[in-house]
DNA sequence: ATTTAAATTTAGACAAATCTAAAAATTATA
DNA sequence: TATAATTTTTAGATTTGTCTAAATTTAAAT
């Protein structure tokens, strides 16, 4: 399997995880910053290999084989992110791009040994679940901060947007995984939130609140 | 720089390290298990990028820029081999192929942090020197076991052949880096050696003795 | 000094992954 | 429902790295 094929599988996996319905050619093209015609070519190839169910003009979904392959790539990506943060002391906003490269290293033994070395973590530095060697995922039900109401309290357990910019913003506000967040006030006009994080109080926009997972 | 370009540079680096004179197209083709015509094509490209000094029909050598680039790849390869052996408990005969992949991961920060995490090792699991971030190498003078004479004693500090087969043979004979080796007898007929390793005595062919470095 | 052999390069082809531009199918709108 | 807009696919071109076969250059052997 080539790097490119792996990247397509991963993208389709992530897009189907969101909405569950078939993924469109354009959605893939947009996410991968490539052209729709390139996507079509690749879908034909992946279909030929029985990794996706593809019907012309009708969108695409992963086969069981394709889904497992995608999960193994996600597994590698997230384990490497753990390694970078836990062992090499990278911050959570620096690891994604390097993991994008490391996720393509081919060695089952390597990834399983890495898993053990890290103590078999179930979540990556952004709170995303790590599939095990069989592709099983422990789902933790979590809500967006934006769905919370006044006076509710929760723990930050993940982020939806994992861009470096957003993660740095959270660092600045001293919001990290494990932080306790209390909703002091929800402004009905713009759906912004007044929250308490630790001892500090701050106001966050709805856009921010829509990218923080709470449990 | 592409994977392929990096692999060519590394190969040229290793071939020049042996004999110091210009490397031939065929030597590169043989080592990389590719065709001479493919090598010629790549040499033109590397020459265009000022990574090699290339004169048609006359062989090739690395420029300073090319040599530094090659050393950085070797640095990455050997540091990852250390990681695999020291941290993930791989044996020294399993790590080369995985390191061949890992050496192409692009992140200076990653490799320098890995270096620190490993305690800035100066040698890899096969006794080969690890260039530092500036490309400097600590040369340890060492001799082949085959060049030793009767009654001499030394420590095994490296191997010339790093193939899995040879390394497994050494494991079987309980010869490892750090093992004390004493030459009991040198057979003049076939240049084989009777040696003592730890408490055991054994006979090794000249071919074996020509692939073990002693200090 | 020719001739022969070996090494190297060139020419042309191919597969993978991408692109642009044009055609076809689907979906939305009037 | 007919037409327009959007989405998707096809056709053809490009880049990278490879290959085979033929031509060229260099080295070796009469
Ligand atoms: Mn990531
Ligand atoms: Mn992540
Ligand atoms: Mn190696
Ligand atoms: Mn090595």
């Amino acid at each position: 399997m080539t790097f490119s094929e792996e990247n397509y599988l991963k993208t389709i996996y992530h897009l189907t995880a969101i909405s569950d319905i078939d993924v469109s050619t354009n959605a893939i093209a947009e996410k991968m910053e490539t052209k729709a015609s390139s996507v079509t070519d690749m879908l034909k190839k992946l279909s030929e290999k029985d990794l996706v169910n593809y019907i012309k003009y009708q969108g695409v979904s992963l086969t069981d084989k394709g889904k497992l392959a995608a999960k193994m790539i996600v597994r590698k990506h997230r384990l490497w992110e753990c390694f970078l943060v836990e062992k090499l002391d990278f911050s959570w906003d620096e690891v994604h791009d390097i993991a994008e490269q490391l996720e393509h290293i081919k060695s089952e033994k390597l990834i399983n040994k890495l898993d053990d070395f890290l103590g078999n973590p179930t979540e990556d530095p952004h709170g995303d679940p790590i599939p095990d060697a069989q592709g099983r995922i422990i789902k933790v039900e979590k809500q967006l901060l934006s769905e919370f109401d006044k006076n509710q309290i929760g723990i930050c357990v993940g982020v939806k947007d994992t861009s470096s910019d957003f993660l740095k913003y959270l660092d600045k506000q001293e919001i990290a995984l494990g932080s306790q967040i209390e909703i002091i006030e929800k402004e009905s006009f713009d759906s912004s939130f007044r929250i308490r994080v630790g001892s500090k109080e701050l106001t966050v926009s709805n856009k921010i609140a829509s990218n923080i997972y709470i449990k």
Side-chain angles (χ1 to χ4, degrees), chain A:
Chain A
M1 185 126 58
T2 66
F3 282 24
S4 191
E5 288 172 333
E6 292 189 338
N7 284 333
Y8 275 94
L9 284 184
K10 194 181 49 158
T11 299
I12 297 167
Y13 176 77
H14 283 134
L15 288 172
T16 41
I18 297 168
S19 68
D20 201 28
I21 57 166
D22 280 13
V23 181
S24 75
T25 301
N26 265 359
I28 298 169
E30 189 176 6
K31 187 126 183 192
M32 298 189 71
E33 296 181 71
T34 184
K35 302 293 166 175
S37 55
S38 307
V39 175
T40 301
D41 286 345
M42 182 57 81
L43 292 183
K44 283 184 201 162
K45 190 195 299 188
L46 294 176
S47 179
E48 202 59 46
K49 293 190 175 187
D50 273 316
L51 292 162
V52 300
N53 305 116
Y54 170 58
I55 308 166
K56 264 200 205 179
Y57 294 101
Q58 299 305 129
V60 72
S61 63
L62 294 172
T63 62
D64 286 349
K65 190 177 157 193
K67 188 179 284 181
L68 183 61
K71 278 179 177 173
M72 287 303 111
I73 300 160
V74 169
R75 168 172 162 79
K76 287 192 275 183
H77 182 101
R78 293 180 179 164
L79 282 172
W80 280 117
E81 284 190 345
C82 285
F83 169 71
L84 295 172
V85 168
E86 300 295 323
K87 302 294 183 180
L88 298 195
D89 205 34
F90 276 90
S91 63
W92 67 345
D93 63 290
E94 299 174 303
V95 297
H96 181 77
D97 290 346
I98 302 176
E100 287 284 301
Q101 299 179 61
L102 287 164
E103 71 189 5
H104 299 293
I105 301 294
K106 277 145 193 88
S107 167
E108 231 174 282
K109 191 165 185 177
L110 168 61
I111 203 64
N112 291 333
K113 274 179 177 279
L114 181 65
D115 194 9
D116 290 342
F117 180 59
L118 297 170
N120 310 109
T122 56
E123 285 172 15
D124 83 356
H126 312 104
D128 292 315
I130 300 174
D132 70 13
Q134 280 71 48
R136 287 182 298 246
I137 292 174
I138 297 173
K139 271 226 176 105
V140 175
E141 97 286 0
K142 53 195 174 188
Q143 282 178 274
L144 289 173
L145 172 53
S146 54
E147 294 164 350
F148 267 53
D149 290 316
K150 186 172 170 176
N151 293 327
Q152 285 192 280
I153 296 183
I155 303 290
C156 173
V157 294
V159 290
K160 192 171 162 198
D161 180 345
T162 58
S163 72
S164 185
D165 278 352
F166 181 58
L167 298 174
K168 277 181 187 156
Y169 166 82
L170 294 179
D171 283 344
K172 204 167 59 188
Q173 306 300 341
E174 294 179 40
I175 299 172
L177 295 197
S179 297
Q180 192 182 70
I181 296 181
E182 179 185 348
I183 288 83
I184 300 167
E185 195 72 62
K186 180 171 180 176
E187 181 57 60
S188 58
F189 177 66
D190 64 354
S191 298
S192 67
F193 289 78
R194 186 76 192 161
I195 61 174
R196 189 179 351 261
V197 181
S199 56
K200 281 189 185 170
E201 272 188 33
L202 64 147
T203 304
V204 296
S205 70
N206 186 264
K207 186 174 178 188
I208 298 290
S210 305
N211 280 294
I212 297 175
Y213 285 115
I214 303 287
K215 192 173 73 176

